[in-house]
């Protein structure tokens, strides 16, 4: 049942974002920022943790989950380091995910030999 919950919640998030992209004039970059900020705000008010427990990877993998990871990292760093935690907490919490994305993107570029658009 965990797989089903992850599938339908992740699919619903993606479908809502697709509708937002097609029915509004918002650029994809702004939609991505909206998702990350929404995840951070939902994490700050305490709504994202129960949602993530229910949906698992369906809630943690999309950009909403990235915003929540940033929020949790900043909160933990502020609790332990004070004011300077605001600046380093998000980097510390998201470093592994960002590094993995860069490594896999590089490997994909080696395998598929991308070309510049003309």
């Amino acid at each position: 049942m965990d797989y089903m919950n992850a599938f339908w919640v992740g699919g619903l998030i993606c479908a809502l974002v697709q509708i937002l992209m097609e029915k509004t004039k918002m650029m994809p970059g702004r939609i991505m920022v909206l998702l990350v900020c929404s995840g951070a705000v939902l994490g700050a008010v305490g709504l994202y943790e129960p949602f993530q427990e229910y949906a698992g990877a369906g809630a943690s993998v999309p950009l909403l989950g990235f915003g929540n990871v940033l929020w949790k990292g900043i909160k933990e760093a502020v609790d332990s380091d004070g004011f300077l935690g605001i600046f380093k907490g998000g980097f510390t919490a998201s470093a592994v995910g960002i590094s993995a994305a860069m490594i896999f993107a590089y490997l994909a570029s080696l395998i598929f030999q991308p070309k510049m658009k003309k």
Side-chain angles (χ1 to χ4, degrees), residues 8-67:
W8 79 263
V9 170
L12 181 66
I13 291 170
C14 292
L16 292 174
V17 169
Q18 188 67 38
I19 291 169
L20 190 63
M21 287 176 69
E22 292 188 15
K23 298 296 181 186
T24 67
K25 294 184 179 186
M26 290 179 69
M27 300 298 290
R30 291 184 186 216
I31 294 172
M32 290 181 355
V33 169
L34 178 70
L35 288 169
V36 171
C37 291
S38 298
V41 169
L42 289 172
V45 296
L47 295 176
Y48 204 81
E49 197 65 35
F51 176 60
Q52 190 171 355
E53 287 178 17
Y54 173 75
S60 63
V61 172
L63 282 174
L64 288 169
F66 182 68

Side-chain angles (χ1 to χ4, degrees), residues 6 18 20 29-30 34 44 54 71-72 85 88 94-95 99 106:
Q18 188 67 38
L20 190 63
R30 291 184 186 216
L34 178 70
Y54 173 75
W71 163 252
K72 287 194 312 191
K88 76 174 200 172
S94 63
S99 298
Y106 177 70

Side-chain angles (χ1 to χ4, degrees), residues 73-91:
I74 291 170
K75 184 176 182 290
E76 291 173 7
V78 167
D79 291 343
S80 65
D81 300 332
F83 181 73
L84 291 178
I86 294 172
F87 303 106
K88 76 174 200 172
F91 292 117

